[in-house]
Amino acid sequence: MFAARSVTQLIEELMRLPGVGEKTAQRLAFHLLKVPKQEAEALALSILAVKEKIHRCSQCYGITEEEPCPICSDSKRDRMLLSVVEEAADIFAFEKLREYRGLYHVLGGALSPLEGVGPEDLTIPQLLTRLRAGEIQEVIVATNPNLEGKRRRCTCLKS
């Protein structure tokens, strides 16, 4: 493909995003060339702001700009109910439904011995600490329901 070096580099960087292939990356790159400079700058600044301001909540390990996160600091939440999820993005799915009013715990991934991901790579020790503190009465394990996920559910709550 013939394109200016900066366009080719933009396409290559966009292709590194999950679910973005070469054609989609090309469409996005050429779309960004058409938009006003201010719109492209706003996108770039948003990406930089996320990388600078976002960190993991010390309680649930979700993403936040505040400490603790707004969910953990919400006094109206049911503190006896904990939903264990694999990734911080899973919280967004639950919150979008506006039905769940408990707290969360983000594991930070999934156990995968084949990929070298063990319990020490996840927030399982922190989860067990939260459970041993005694306030939580009910745990909802909301991990991926595949065969490996079924094995993880048993492993996560033992010990």
Side-chain angles (χ1 to χ4, degrees), residues 58-125:
S58 63
Q59 294 179 24
C60 71
Y61 299 92
I63 57 172
T64 186
E65 290 183 17
E66 305 157 25
E67 188 57 46
C69 74
I71 293 172
C72 289
S73 61
D74 184 351
S75 61
K76 295 177 184 166
R77 292 278 176 163
D78 182 350
R79 302 208 167 282
M80 294 190 294
L81 181 60
L82 184 71
S83 183
V84 179
V85 297
E86 288 181 13
E87 299 291 346
D90 299 329
I91 293 175
F92 287 96
F94 278 100
E95 290 298 301
K96 201 173 188 180
L97 297 173
R98 297 183 181 186
E99 297 288 325
Y100 179 73
R101 295 300 303 156
L103 299 175
Y104 296 95
H105 185 88
V106 179
L107 293 172
L111 288 175
S112 181
L114 295 175
E115 294 177 22
V117 179
E120 67 281 355
D121 300 310
L122 306 176
T123 62
I124 293 173

